[in-house]
Amino acid sequence: MNTFELIVPCHFGLEAVMKKEILDLGYEVSQVEDGRVTFIGDAEAICRANIFLRTTERVLLKVGSFHAETFEDLFQGTRAIPWEEYLPKDAKFWVAKASSIKSKLFSPSDIQSIMKKAMVERMKKAYGIEWFPENGASFPLRVFIHKDTVTVALDTTGESLHKRGYRTLTSKAPITETLAAALIMLTPWKSDRILVDPFCGSGTFPIEAAMIAANMAPGMNREFLSEDWKHLIPRKCWYDAMDEANDLVDLSVQTDIQGYDIDGDIVRAARANAKAAGVDELIHFQQRSVSDLSHPKKYGFLITNPPYGERIEDKKNLPELYKTIGERFAELDSWSAYIITAYEDTERYFGRKADKNRKIYNGMMKTYFYQFLGPKPPRKREDRREER
């Protein structure tokens, strides 16, 4: 089976989480850069990466890279790629997205049209035909130009992987499923520990946590563009990866995952989303204000994305809101809190300095992931026994 270089983009600041996911799937990571990780895998890896990876938006199949400072360089470099090895005669192909950073070529529309022309030239020669019907499977290209190095990749995913298929209803400022999963995976939370999100909105944090707890692959309930690339990826690879995903699910896992929101309609939406994801039995949703936040158990986790005043009129309520979160958290015995927000004064009103703080770009918005760490729970007897 052919091996490929596969590129998976991720949020800036979360490359380590993405890398660990790939290593856990059993693949070799060849490069880690800002906002993306490259690894080596075969056709089966394309299927497994699309179905299992929680923290990437898409899986890209790298077809080539070259240096280009002029449009002529771009044309020649693109034409030199063996497109006939990837694209059948009837392929529908186009440059879906071109981005350029610190490079001489920077006009996306020119990059797109020149590359398309070069691909057609190459394929005319390879296939001995003058005209391409483009009525077959889709092959969208993604192109990154960084310091005049052009990286060209085919998008195997199609609609972004954060669209797991469960979120039909969203609240005002939702956090994406991929970012929520990555943030949970940055914490030491495990399925036997309590997790509470007091601003659960449409339920993304609790649902992603429940899917992690139940070992449920995020891509199980959706389709991928490259399922139609039968010449590159045998159907059997998709069936095997789906079978593997189904075999791993464990809905009998005991969890204590809770989501609260002050808005009853939003709570109903969160419940519906959890049901669509197949994890509604693992989560307890409740209409509840953050000022009522309390929990009798110790060593729990607060993981949340509170409001941060996108609208000017909301800004004035933030000091009071963050003060309330801090006060309620202080009453929880031995808990840890993980808060993602764009609000710069979080620590001041929360009432203590974060033990760790990480800058994460959510789209173009700079946010902070504040981590207030509680003590570790005492180890269970069985753990100690095993070590003897």
Side-chain angles (χ1 to χ4, degrees):
M1 214 183 253
N2 290 344
T3 55
F4 306 108
E5 260 190 290
L6 302 170
I7 302 170
V8 282
C10 60
H11 287 273
F12 283 94
L14 295 173
E15 295 81 5
V17 183
M18 183 78 264
K19 180 183 175 183
K20 183 177 184 309
E21 272 208 278
I22 293 161
L23 295 173
D24 287 349
L25 272 186
Y27 299 110
E28 177 199 338
V29 169
S30 55
Q31 196 176 14
V32 179
E33 299 158 275
D34 280 349
R36 57 187 188 162
V37 179
T38 304
F39 69 102
I40 311 298
D42 53 12
E44 188 183 65
I46 295 174
C47 308
R48 293 182 71 230
N50 272 300
I51 291 167
F52 285 100
L53 292 179
R54 294 181 194 280
T55 64
T56 187
E57 295 290 322
R58 53 192 69 251
V59 179
L60 304 171
L61 165 54
K62 183 176 167 183
V63 292
S65 74
F66 53 88
H67 187 82
E69 296 182 28
T70 65
F71 284 124
E72 181 58 24
D73 295 344
L74 182 68
F75 184 89
Q76 297 301 345
T78 305
R79 193 171 66 175
I81 293 170
W83 292 107
E84 64 281 2
E85 291 177 14
Y86 300 100
L87 308 183
K89 265 184 243 198
D90 63 351
K92 181 182 176 195
F93 57 99
W94 72 102
V95 179
K97 191 166 183 216
S99 63
S100 168
I101 300 168
K102 298 180 183 159
S103 301
K104 294 185 181 61
L105 300 177
F106 57 81
S107 156
S109 57
D110 289 335
I111 292 166
Q112 286 166 307
S113 60
I114 283 161
M115 290 186 72
K116 171 84 184 200
K117 223 175 270 167
M119 291 169 75
V120 170
E121 286 302 307
R122 168 84 189 206
M123 286 170 65
K124 271 183 183 173
K125 206 166 164 212
Y127 284 123
I129 51 179
E130 281 299 305
W131 182 79
F132 294 91
E134 298 207 38
N135 57 3
S138 291
F139 292 83
L141 257 82
R142 300 225 155 202
V143 179
F144 317 96
I145 308 180
H146 182 242
K147 293 183 180 165
D148 302 318
T149 296
V150 184
T151 303
V152 189
L154 290 166
D155 175 9
T156 73
T157 301
E159 200 171 24
S160 169
L161 289 176
H162 79 261
K163 298 196 168 155
R164 317 276 208 224
Y166 68 72
R167 193 161 76 177
T168 47
L169 305 150
T170 62
S171 53
K172 276 201 303 284
I175 187 166
T176 64
E177 293 82 337
T178 44
L179 179 54
L183 294 175
I184 293 166
M185 288 157 81
L186 260 186
T187 77
W189 178 78
K190 293 277 180 286
S191 58
D192 60 348
R193 306 273 294 273
I194 306 147
L195 188 156
V196 174
D197 179 357
F199 300 95
C200 73
S202 51
T204 312
F205 271 130
I207 293 170
E208 290 296 319
M211 288 171 77
I212 290 169
N215 218 348
M216 185 183 280
M220 278 176 67
N221 298 317
R222 52 160 292 167
E223 292 173 340
F224 308 97
L225 195 68
S226 51
E227 287 178 51
D228 293 332
W229 301 0
K230 299 183 181 72
H231 61 299
L232 280 180
I233 308 174
R235 290 299 299 165
K236 187 177 184 310
C237 291
W238 287 108
Y239 294 138
D240 288 351
M242 277 296 183
D243 285 347
E244 180 189 358
N246 281 312
D247 290 346
L248 288 171
V249 178
D250 175 16
L251 287 171
S252 67
V253 62
Q254 294 297 307
T255 57
D256 188 350
I257 299 170
Q258 306 184 17
Y260 310 141
D261 203 283
I262 196 162
D263 181 334
D265 290 339
I266 292 283
V267 172
R268 277 187 284 283
R271 274 197 199 110
N273 289 342
K275 196 168 173 52
V279 291
D280 49 320
E281 300 287 311
L282 302 178
I283 309 170
H284 172 68
F285 286 109
Q286 198 178 355
Q287 182 178 355
R288 193 173 185 184
S289 157
V290 68
S291 55
D292 297 329
L293 176 64
S294 64
H295 203 292
K297 290 187 185 160
K298 294 172 71 147
Y299 307 113
F301 283 74
L302 208 63
I303 303 182
T304 193
N305 173 34
Y308 35 80
E310 294 91 307
R311 297 198 304 270
I312 301 298
E313 63 268 27
D314 298 338
K315 285 255 190 287
K316 60 181 191 305
N317 304 328
L318 293 180
E320 191 51 43
L321 179 70
Y322 281 77
K323 194 166 163 264
T324 306
I325 303 171
E327 285 169 352
R328 297 319 307 151
F329 175 67
E331 294 295 310
L332 294 166
D333 188 356
S334 312
W335 281 47
S336 301
Y338 295 84
I339 298 174
I340 182 165
T341 176
Y343 184 46
E344 305 268 352
D345 286 332
T346 293
E347 292 169 307
R348 180 177 158 199
Y349 292 108
F350 189 83
R352 69 178 253 202
K353 204 163 162 37
D355 299 288
K356 286 183 185 167
N357 184 4
R358 211 179 244 253
K359 225 184 279 176
I360 290 165
Y361 283 87
N362 185 8
M364 295 317 286
M365 187 193 280
K366 183 166 69 171
T367 60
Y368 299 92
F369 192 44
Y370 295 101
Q371 305 170 48
F372 302 94
L373 310 179
K376 287 184 176 155
R379 305 228 315 267
K380 293 191 184 111
R381 270 209 199 107
E382 319 65 287
D383 296 349
R384 283 197 222 120
R385 241 187 255 130
E386 272 167 27
E387 281 190 5
R388 275 187 199 150

